[in-house]
Amino acid sequence: MSQGNIDVTHDREFLDERPVCTVLEALNRISGKWAIGILLNVSHGPARFTELERAVPGISRRMLTLTLRNLERDGLISRTVYATVPPKVEYRATGMAVELYDSLTALTAWAERHRETIAGSREAYDREHGRPAGADADC
Amino acid sequence: MSQGNIDVTHDREFLDERPVCTVLEALNRISGKWAIGILLNVSHGPARFTELERAVPGISRRMLTLTLRNLERDGLISRTVYATVPPKVEYRATGMAVELYDSLTALTAWAERHRETIAGSREAYDREHGRPAGADADC
DNA sequence: CAGAATCCCCCATGATACTG
DNA sequence: CAGTATCATGGGGGATTCTG
């Protein structure tokens, strides 16, 4: 294209619709405060309920259960029950989840590369403006 | 506790703490229903407020403003005001955001690769269990 | 051990209206 | 055009209790 006269409207606002939706789909099933933490843990090998409870600091039993169920429903983890006493349940990452793990690595790298910059940007922003944006203390 | 075995807990639950937190940091600033949509749009070139409002289907003025402010605060977008009449404001992705865009591509690819599988997994899950997990209709 | 069931609160988001 | 100000809400998430 280029030089022509047909170069209408810096061509934006249309090529997004799909990708946005797809990414959103992806994000939706790894959303919530706990899904990622669980996924990362389970990717290292099978884990039991209580192990995960300890491994994901701050999670409640309720949230662990709910998140686990949703991940299972989406096929990101498998759940194996051993009919023993006391009960034993093992959670494993599926192939899909392992691939996702690899993708998350890119995000991790990005976050680490820019951790400082972002913190600085926030400070600067908060210094000149009040502090209207949401306050963050965790992590 | 464990059966007098020395092979303590297939060594898990520790190597996570950091990565989880880092990824969470990353996810936190691209979280919310709208950040991604805005980021993707802005990554194609500078965009004005109203353009974004049209480009991100379903977003409200309020949410557009809030998300824009937060992204600016984190240094992911820049805001340029032109003292003209009527007012003109341009938003651009920073280098950081562009790098993030690349990372999101991995997620997009993942979502597209497994779209079918996930949908199937959900159907199957909902068929044998009731449908306790959150219902989803969007996208 | 691995959950299920309840109650409750808060914050992100939506709807609506006003303005430099 | 590019916002701000207010009010209302819903569901994500926490605390607690009960069970196979």
Side-chain angles (χ1 to χ4, degrees):
Chain A
M1 27 180 134
S2 70
Q3 302 308 355
N5 35 16
I6 354 173
D7 185 3
V8 210
T9 72
H10 318 63
D11 72 19
R12 56 167 53 262
E13 92 237 358
F14 40 92
L15 42 80
D16 297 316
E17 208 87 4
R18 255 300 291 286
V20 168
C21 193
T22 308
V23 175
L24 252 32
E25 266 189 76
L27 267 302
N28 280 339
R29 62 184 45 85
I30 60 174
S31 76
K33 281 158 74 177
W34 310 110
I36 305 274
I38 293 176
L39 244 15
L40 290 180
N41 262 280
V42 155
S43 295
H44 303 144
R48 301 182 58 178
F49 189 87
T50 306
E51 283 178 352
L52 289 174
E53 197 175 359
R54 285 184 291 106
V56 182
I59 196 171
S60 67
R61 248 180 205 143
R62 170 188 158 78
M63 277 305 106
L64 180 54
T65 302
L66 285 180
T67 308
L68 244 17
R69 288 294 174 277
N70 280 319
L71 290 176
E72 188 194 355
R73 186 169 103 108
D74 287 343
L76 290 175
I77 60 175
S78 67
R79 177 170 178 271
T80 312
V81 182
Y82 297 89
T84 60
V85 173
K88 176 178 175 181
V89 179
E90 268 189 359
Y91 293 96
R92 298 165 189 274
T94 63
M96 239 165 59
V98 173
E99 291 180 40
L100 183 58
Y101 180 90
D102 289 341
S103 293
L104 290 179
T105 296
L107 278 189
T108 312
W110 179 87
E112 249 155 17
R113 269 203 311 280
H114 301 292
R115 178 195 293 264
E116 289 288 321
T117 309
I118 290 174
S121 178
R122 290 194 173 185
E123 276 188 54
Y125 186 95
D126 291 346
R127 219 175 301 121
E128 30 188 312
H129 313 67
R131 41 196 52 221
D136 5 56
D138 49 292
C139 269
Chain B
M1 285 208 157
S2 44
Q3 321 289 354
N5 236 318
I6 330 172
D7 179 8
V8 219
T9 71
H10 318 63
D11 72 15
R12 57 170 51 263
E13 91 238 358
F14 40 91
L15 42 81
D16 297 315
E17 208 86 4
R18 257 298 290 285
V20 168
C21 192
T22 307
V23 174
L24 253 30
E25 266 189 76
L27 267 301
N28 280 340
R29 62 183 47 85
I30 59 174
S31 76
K33 282 157 75 177
W34 310 110
I36 306 275
I38 293 176
L39 244 15
L40 290 181
N41 262 280
V42 154
S43 294
H44 304 144
R48 301 181 58 177
F49 190 87
T50 306
E51 282 178 352
L52 288 174
E53 197 175 0
R54 286 184 292 107
V56 182
I59 196 170
S60 68
R61 244 178 208 141
R62 172 188 158 75
M63 276 306 107
L64 180 54
T65 301
L66 284 180
T67 308
L68 244 16
R69 290 294 175 277
N70 280 319
L71 291 176
E72 188 193 356
R73 186 169 102 108
D74 287 344
L76 289 176
I77 61 175
S78 66
R79 179 172 178 269
T80 313
V81 182
Y82 297 89
T84 59
V85 172
K88 175 178 174 181
V89 179
E90 268 188 359
Y91 293 95
R92 297 164 188 275
T94 63
M96 241 166 58
V98 174
E99 291 181 38
L100 184 59
Y101 180 90
D102 289 341
S103 293
L104 290 179
T105 296
L107 278 189
T108 312
W110 180 87
E112 249 155 17
R113 269 204 310 280
H114 301 293
R115 178 195 293 264
E116 288 289 320
T117 309
I118 291 173
S121 178
R122 289 194 174 185
E123 276 188 54
Y125 187 95
D126 290 345
R127 218 176 301 121
E128 31 188 312
H129 312 68
R131 42 195 53 222
D136 5 57
D138 49 292
C139 265

